[in-house]
Amino acid sequence: MAAHAAPTPRRAAAGRDGMFHGGHSPLAMGIPMLMGIGYGAYAAFMARAGGPADYTQLWLAVASGVGFAAVMYVILFTQHRLSREQRAPLWGVFLGSAVGFLRGLGDFSIYRSVGFGLVIGAAVTVVLSYWWYTHEQPSDTTSA
């Protein structure tokens, strides 16, 4: 009679299967591509520094956008093979180096760019470690 009030087990948000595991849909292919386009456009904007646009910024935008999208694609489709303790630093290194590169394109010193990338990478690692720790089931369950 009171079965409708029983709590249901909580599902893992992404699980060990990864974000897009189970098929390569157009949306799954489009997310790294759109992020790469945005990253490349912002890289060209940072390299321009208010001056006129030229072909070197175009090539920088294409190269950095394709590189960002390719690395993001590989991480998204292979992260299900890693444990959550390995995935968080992987995303931290990726996003920290991406932000540090963009900061380095501006008129900042190399030390400020590296420091900013390290801070962002550490913050991403901590946040994702906490997120996956609280929203996933442990991957190495041992049975007695």
Side-chain angles (χ1 to χ4, degrees):
M1 186 166 189
H4 66 281
T8 59
R10 196 168 121 185
R11 290 179 37 203
R16 290 255 317 140
D17 293 338
M19 193 175 214
F20 301 115
H21 187 43
H24 302 294
S25 69
L27 177 64
M29 295 290 292
I31 289 175
M33 186 172 45
L34 288 175
M35 296 290 286
I37 290 169
Y39 187 83
Y42 193 69
F45 172 75
M46 290 296 290
R48 194 172 75 147
D54 59 2
Y55 287 108
T56 58
Q57 283 120 19
L58 173 69
W59 289 114
L60 174 70
V62 169
S64 60
V66 166
F68 183 88
V71 172
M72 186 176 183
Y73 178 82
V74 168
I75 291 174
L76 282 175
F77 288 103
T78 59
Q79 72 178 348
H80 67 278
R81 297 179 188 156
L82 301 173
S83 68
R84 63 182 173 211
E85 292 83 10
Q86 295 170 330
R87 274 184 285 161
L90 178 68
W91 279 105
V93 167
F94 171 61
L95 293 175
S97 61
V99 169
F101 173 72
L102 287 178
R103 180 110 171 151
L105 290 175
D107 288 333
F108 299 103
S109 72
I110 188 69
Y111 300 112
R112 288 185 73 176
S113 301
V114 169
F116 194 69
L118 286 173
V119 167
I120 295 295
V124 167
T125 301
V126 167
V127 167
L128 287 179
S129 294
Y130 175 76
W131 175 263
W132 282 321
Y133 183 74
T134 58
H135 287 81
E136 280 188 351
Q137 298 296 326
S139 59
D140 52 351
T141 58
T142 57
S143 59

